Amino acid sequence: TPAATAATNIAAKSFTANWNASAGAEKYRLTVYNGSTSVFTTETTATTFDVTGLDCSTAYTYSVVAIGGGYESATASNSISVTTQTPLISSDKTAVDFSVVFGNSAEASVNLTSQYLADAINIALQGGEPYSVSPVTINESGALTINFAPNTIGRFADIIIATSECAAELNIAISGVAIPVAPVATEATNIRCETFTANWEAVENASYTLYLNGEEKYSGTENSYDFTGLEPNTAYNYYVTVTIND
């Protein structure tokens, strides 16, 4: 009777079964079980065999019968237990944040690694624009390039989803903000003794804060404002900041 030894090369869907040679044996019958059910049987003259086509994260046992001179060993070998591996995908980042001035774009990289994969890693975006990602498949490990190219001012959130057979889904959160360019203040109009109108160029999807001589005087979405109650014959200056509207 041959003696089965520990499995080697254990992967997600395969392992190598091993056993010691048995005197007088011409070949061996290897049988693999899942519980009490035989799932694989083969005959070989070697004392090792690569068992493939298994399920991930699954417990198996195997035993061997020696065959020689037209006879089989009276009993099978001892039973060896082996559990196939659980594939794992991991990344060096769990989240990526972008901030760009509207009209520009940005790129970032995320490095993916894996263990015991049974298949390639498939990459997808849950949403899409203004994000794109490449490549869309990775064999075992590699860098993803994420591009953020917003076509409007605002905040944008999405999720990169990395999947592979038997592996738990890996999610990477991505968020970005496209901020407006600084508004351009233009010349005052309607200048009177105690009043004038401050003006500035409109910015898409934005609100404004207006300052007069460094003090905040107005906050809103209009791109002009009438100052009143000013001191006659006095110099004033104004400037505007902008905030995106979510």
Side-chain angles (χ1 to χ4, degrees):
T1 300
T5 57
T8 54
N9 304 320
I10 302 170
K13 303 183 75 173
S14 64
F15 64 81
T16 300
N18 304 289
W19 56 92
N20 294 330
S22 180
E26 298 171 355
K27 59 183 178 179
Y28 303 91
R29 181 184 301 120
L30 167 68
T31 304
V32 179
Y33 298 89
N34 176 217
S36 60
T37 302
S38 172
V39 296
F40 178 81
T41 299
T42 190
E43 292 184 359
T44 177
T45 58
T47 57
T48 183
F49 190 86
D50 293 330
V51 182
T52 60
L54 303 174
D55 293 328
C56 307
S57 312
T58 301
Y60 296 94
T61 59
Y62 65 87
S63 59
V64 181
V65 171
I67 302 172
Y71 297 92
E72 297 182 1
S73 53
T75 59
S77 71
N78 56 306
S79 180
I80 295 293
S81 297
V82 55
T83 299
T84 49
Q85 300 284 3
T86 300
L88 174 68
I89 307 170
S90 57
S91 66
D92 63 342
K93 298 173 184 175
T94 58
V96 178
D97 296 311
F98 294 96
S99 179
V100 300
V101 174
F102 178 64
N104 297 301
S105 61
E107 282 188 352
S109 292
V110 174
N111 294 310
L112 296 186
T113 56
S114 65
Q115 290 180 292
Y116 312 119
L117 284 194
D119 199 359
I121 304 172
N122 297 307
I123 309 299
L125 286 170
Q126 180 172 272
E129 294 183 357
Y131 297 101
S132 60
V133 61
S134 63
V136 294
T137 60
I138 291 177
N139 285 332
E140 293 182 353
S141 63
L144 288 177
T145 299
I146 309 160
N147 182 266
F148 177 55
N151 55 14
T152 187
I153 293 168
R155 298 182 186 275
F156 307 88
D158 205 343
I159 295 176
I160 294 174
I161 303 172
T163 58
S164 185
E165 184 179 1
C166 302
E169 182 178 283
L170 173 69
N171 292 338
I172 302 169
I174 52 178
S175 61
V177 56
I179 60 176
V181 296
V184 177
T186 56
E187 289 186 1
T189 55
N190 304 319
I191 303 171
R192 301 289 187 268
C193 182
E194 297 179 350
T195 65
F196 69 83
T197 300
N199 304 287
W200 56 94
E201 293 181 359
V203 175
E204 181 183 3
N205 194 33
S207 59
Y208 313 96
T209 303
L210 174 64
Y211 296 83
L212 182 67
N213 287 355
E215 294 185 9
E216 181 179 334
K217 296 296 184 180
Y218 166 76
S219 180
T221 58
E222 300 296 326
N223 65 315
S224 66
Y225 180 78
D226 293 328
F227 285 110
T228 60
L230 303 176
E231 294 292 332
N233 197 32
T234 301
Y236 292 93
N237 67 78
Y238 63 90
Y239 65 90
V240 183
T241 62
V242 65
T243 304
I244 64 167
N245 296 324
D246 293 332

